Amino acid sequence: MEDGESLKKIISHSKEYGFVIPSSEIYEGLNAVYDYAHNGVLLKNNIREYWWKSMVQMNQDIIGVDSAIFMHPKTWIASGHVEAFNDPLIDNKDSKKRYRADVLIEDYLEKQRNKLNKEVLKAKKKFGDKFDENEFITTNKRVLELNDRIKSINERMADGFKNNNLNDIENLINELEIKCPVSGTSNWTEVRQFNLMFKTNLGASSDSNMELYLRPETAQGIFLNYLTLQKTSRMKIPFGIAQIGKAFRNEIVARQFIFRMREFEQMEMQFFIKPGTQDKWYKHWKEKRMEWHLSLGIEKNNYRFHDHEKLAHYADAASDIEFKFPFGFKELEGIHSRTDFDLKSHEKLSGKKIQYFDTEKNESYTPFVIETSIGLDRMFLSVLSSSYSNENLEDGSSRVVLKIPKQIAPVKIAVLPLLKKDGLPEIAKELLNEFSSEVNLSYDEKDAIGRRYRRQDAIGTPYCITIDHKTLEDNTFTLRDRDSMGQKRINKDELINIVKDELTINNLLNN
Ligand code: GAP
């Protein structure tokens, strides 16, 4: 399936089966704003819970906060967002479409990387077992040329942004002959900066009116509360503060479904450390966060690190965990070594001391910070897109199945009475009552059993339990497995074990 094709299928599937729907649809919708329908809410809640429990509940040195979306406007001056939270935009004069200049160059680079990978694959096929990849990459003329080219474009782009030399970014786009995907021309405007923060007003009368920003990241709510939280929770460095909440960005390139939204949710953790120990903790959190992703059992090849060349204004090192979305490898999570930039800036602008007092050494200092930051909606898309599968079956039919990791699936078990009579629905409802406090179940008595299985496959339900006449005799049920479609007879005790051992978030946490 073509990449664009597969994203389209995922978007329409997620609407049809109650995951994600366009916001305000009866009024033609809002670009890059989405609502979550029932199954979407369940899946999102499960991802959120898994993140929160593994970051906060499982770590005695991480505490939580839920800070307000509205923050004093000085927050964003100190954080650098007023000055520097800009995207470089460029318009194509023919299509009138607006693009992020860095994204155009990144897309171009991705194409070069794909070319390079193709060369390696071709050689691998040709030389078979004798193929030495390392030797090939370091000696093959074409691969070396492509590598040099990628490196030099990357360096030039990083320099251009670092020195705010937007003219050179424009030159680079023209020299690379990058074309607008809509008009197919290179008829570009100049590159200019655009601030991504949304403005709003606080207060009713014009004299008490205060201009505010909707927060573009949750992290600043952690920095502003750092000292109070550290003291009230009696935390000692190193320790972390975690937060889940909405963030808002007036994105220029608002496409690719819930990958880039204007209103989205972040799950962030700031880990406060002693200055000088940032290399160690940066490495630690890079590893920990990758382990968290892999613990879900999604194919390992879908993940990779991308270390930044172009650093944000607050960072001395940064890496993304990238995921193979239907439109290629893109950032899923960021791990940033944020130095003491934020705390020092807030200290300076507020005039309040925001330091850590080390009781053993009897000295105060401003902690350094390692941040882990993941978009909940982006994580949702990574789960949805990697689990979507269109399978051709042996009997000639086909099915769409979401192979969502069982522990975070929206519905864990569907309870299906074979017939709507003979006491079968009553038994099914008893099971619902018994297990509903443990896991999310669903009940379905309509249509033939095969069609009911398909409906559950389409929302990723790991197991279906069918109640039939044999159940009346011996209290056993048919258990049908989503992935293998295999069926077996089980009793209540076995069902209890499946729920306990396979279907809860605790199963992930205990692994
Ligand atoms: N506090 C640091 C920070 O906000 P970021 O790399 O700008 O860093 C962190 O954002 C994460 O938030 C990203 O890795 C991504 O998962 C998510 N994110 C950022 N912008 C987003 C958007 N417009 N829509 C959905 N998720 C977004």
Side-chain angles (χ1 to χ4, degrees):
M1 210 182 327
E2 282 237 333
D3 292 350
E5 235 2 71
S6 94
L7 183 64
K8 269 192 207 146
K9 289 205 165 147
I10 288 163
I11 296 172
S12 81
H13 186 87
S14 70
K15 184 174 174 194
E16 187 180 349
Y17 287 94
F19 284 88
V20 183
I21 47 184
S23 166
S24 327
E25 207 180 7
I26 60 166
Y27 294 109
E28 315 296 322
L30 271 181
N31 200 358
V33 188
Y34 290 91
D35 296 339
Y36 284 81
H38 181 63
N39 289 320
V41 177
L42 296 173
L43 175 57
K44 202 176 176 199
N45 282 346
N46 291 341
I47 298 173
R48 194 192 278 114
E49 184 186 342
Y50 181 41
W51 185 87
W52 185 262
K53 285 191 166 167
S54 46
M55 294 300 272
V56 183
Q57 188 169 311
M58 302 295 284
N59 286 304
Q60 286 303 309
D61 55 0
I62 299 183
I63 55 173
V65 68
D66 184 9
S67 68
I69 287 170
F70 293 144
M71 298 176 75
H72 196 284
K74 284 188 180 169
T75 308
W76 308 109
I77 297 172
S79 68
H81 284 79
V82 170
E83 175 78 20
F85 195 54
N86 301 316
D87 270 350
L89 65 83
I90 187 165
D91 294 292
N92 183 270
K93 291 181 197 161
D94 297 321
S95 67
K96 310 274 183 271
K97 292 276 173 207
R98 182 160 285 180
Y99 298 92
R100 261 175 58 181
D102 56 332
V103 172
L104 284 181
I105 302 171
E106 287 290 355
D107 285 350
Y108 179 89
L109 285 171
E110 190 61 28
K111 279 186 196 143
Q112 305 304 306
R113 285 188 203 104
N114 288 342
K115 273 188 194 166
L116 193 151
N117 290 339
K118 264 190 195 148
E119 292 292 331
V120 176
L121 280 179
K122 224 165 63 189
K124 210 182 230 169
K125 242 187 192 165
K126 190 170 157 195
F127 296 113
D129 289 345
K130 281 184 257 150
F131 183 62
D132 179 338
E133 184 163 334
N134 200 28
E135 193 192 326
F136 182 76
I137 289 173
T138 47
T139 54
N140 180 273
K141 196 166 163 259
R142 172 95 180 115
V143 169
L144 288 173
E145 269 169 17
L146 278 165
N147 246 332
D148 283 350
R149 189 170 165 70
I150 292 167
K151 196 162 161 256
S152 87
I153 295 171
N154 245 326
E155 280 171 3
R156 194 160 150 203
M157 177 167 70
D159 278 353
F161 286 120
K162 198 165 148 210
N163 306 323
N164 205 17
N165 185 355
L166 298 183
N167 270 344
D168 199 46
I169 297 292
E170 184 190 331
N171 292 340
L172 184 59
I173 288 174
N174 286 321
E175 281 166 34
L176 298 175
E177 297 180 1
I178 294 176
K179 297 203 168 33
C180 163
V182 177
S183 68
T185 70
S186 305
N187 195 6
W188 298 109
T189 62
E190 79 279 13
V191 178
R192 56 209 183 280
Q193 295 289 16
F194 172 79
N195 194 286
L196 299 185
M197 286 194 292
F198 284 102
K199 274 190 187 149
T200 186
N201 291 297
L202 191 79
S205 67
S206 53
D207 43 338
S208 66
N209 211 329
M210 190 190 238
E211 206 171 58
L212 294 186
Y213 296 102
L214 298 185
R215 66 178 179 201
E217 62 170 9
T218 57
Q220 296 303 323
I222 294 178
F223 290 125
L224 263 58
N225 287 304
Y226 148 76
L227 201 56
T228 311
L229 295 173
Q230 184 260 320
K231 285 187 174 157
T232 52
S233 298
R234 292 181 290 112
M235 298 307 281
K236 283 206 152 68
I237 273 180
F239 76 98
I241 303 176
Q243 161 151 248
I244 301 179
K246 288 267 181 160
F248 304 83
R249 297 181 187 181
N250 201 0
E251 297 282 0
I252 303 165
V253 184
R255 55 187 158 101
Q256 295 164 331
F257 194 33
I258 54 172
F259 178 80
R260 200 177 297 288
M261 301 159 90
R262 295 199 162 113
E263 174 183 342
F264 58 100
E265 213 165 326
Q266 285 188 317
M267 308 192 284
E268 299 201 296
M269 194 277 299
Q270 315 296 133
F271 202 70
F272 297 90
I273 55 170
K274 212 172 161 105
T277 61
Q278 65 266 37
D279 290 353
K280 175 181 114 188
W281 285 111
Y282 173 63
K283 196 165 161 269
H284 170 86
W285 281 108
K286 266 177 81 172
E287 279 168 17
K288 276 267 168 211
R289 292 305 304 150
M290 186 58 104
E291 274 171 26
W292 184 84
H293 287 283
L294 297 178
S295 69
L296 282 169
I298 294 171
E299 182 63 48
K300 202 174 168 186
N301 294 342
N302 284 314
Y303 300 89
R304 71 180 188 197
F305 281 114
H306 167 69
D307 295 331
H308 284 209
E309 308 239 345
K310 176 191 156 196
L311 291 172
H313 58 274
Y314 49 72
D316 71 359
S319 185
D320 294 337
I321 293 178
E322 291 190 335
F323 186 79
K324 198 171 174 196
F325 288 101
F327 34 82
F329 270 102
K330 298 275 175 205
E331 174 185 348
L332 170 59
E333 168 157 9
I335 296 107
H336 311 124
S337 173
R338 277 183 93 126
T339 66
D340 55 3
F341 172 87
D342 301 85
L343 291 181
K344 280 230 163 106
S345 303
H346 289 306
E347 188 169 69
K348 203 165 152 206
L349 197 62
S350 67
K352 308 257 164 39
K353 198 171 172 199
I354 315 178
Q355 294 199 340
Y356 175 75
F357 182 67
D358 186 329
T359 46
E360 276 153 37
K361 297 216 164 128
N362 206 20
E363 62 179 27
S364 292
Y365 60 86
T366 309
F368 270 41
V369 171
I370 305 296
E371 165 184 76
T372 71
S373 175
I374 175 168
L376 177 51
D377 312 84
R378 234 175 242 192
M379 182 64 202
F380 185 104
L381 182 58
S382 74
V383 171
L384 201 64
S385 59
S386 58
S387 61
Y388 181 93
S389 162
N390 198 337
E391 291 182 349
N392 292 320
L393 306 177
E394 275 173 14
D395 65 3
S397 66
S398 65
R399 68 164 184 162
V400 171
V401 53
L402 296 184
K403 295 185 172 171
I404 299 174
K406 288 178 189 175
Q407 303 86 342
I408 59 167
V411 177
K412 303 296 191 296
I413 302 173
V415 185
L416 318 172
L418 194 62
L419 300 172
K420 270 191 263 182
K421 57 181 185 181
D422 302 337
L424 303 184
E426 285 73 14
I427 297 180
K429 282 175 188 165
E430 271 171 32
L431 278 182
L432 281 185
N433 284 339
E434 193 172 337
F435 288 98
S436 286
S437 61
E438 301 286 327
V439 285
N440 195 54
L441 306 177
S442 105
Y443 175 81
D444 189 0
E445 58 176 28
K446 283 186 220 93
D447 299 324
I449 197 74
R451 289 187 70 177
R452 284 187 259 170
Y453 285 158
R454 288 289 174 278
R455 279 203 286 272
Q456 296 303 326
D457 288 344
I459 64 165
T461 307
Y463 291 114
C464 293
I465 291 282
T466 307
I467 321 292
D468 54 22
H469 289 97
K470 196 160 187 305
T471 313
L472 297 172
E473 290 163 20
D474 62 5
N475 222 3
T476 63
F477 330 97
T478 302
L479 179 85
R480 187 256 187 190
D481 182 278
R482 174 193 70 192
D483 299 343
S484 67
M485 294 191 292
Q487 299 186 13
K488 65 176 180 187
R489 209 73 202 171
I490 60 159
N491 60 31
K492 178 85 81 57
D493 286 344
E494 287 167 295
L495 181 58
I496 291 172
N497 285 339
I498 287 171
V499 169
K500 201 164 65 115
D501 299 341
E502 292 181 36
L503 298 178
T504 69
I505 284 172
N506 290 354
N507 302 134
L508 285 171
L509 295 168
N510 293 331
N511 273 338

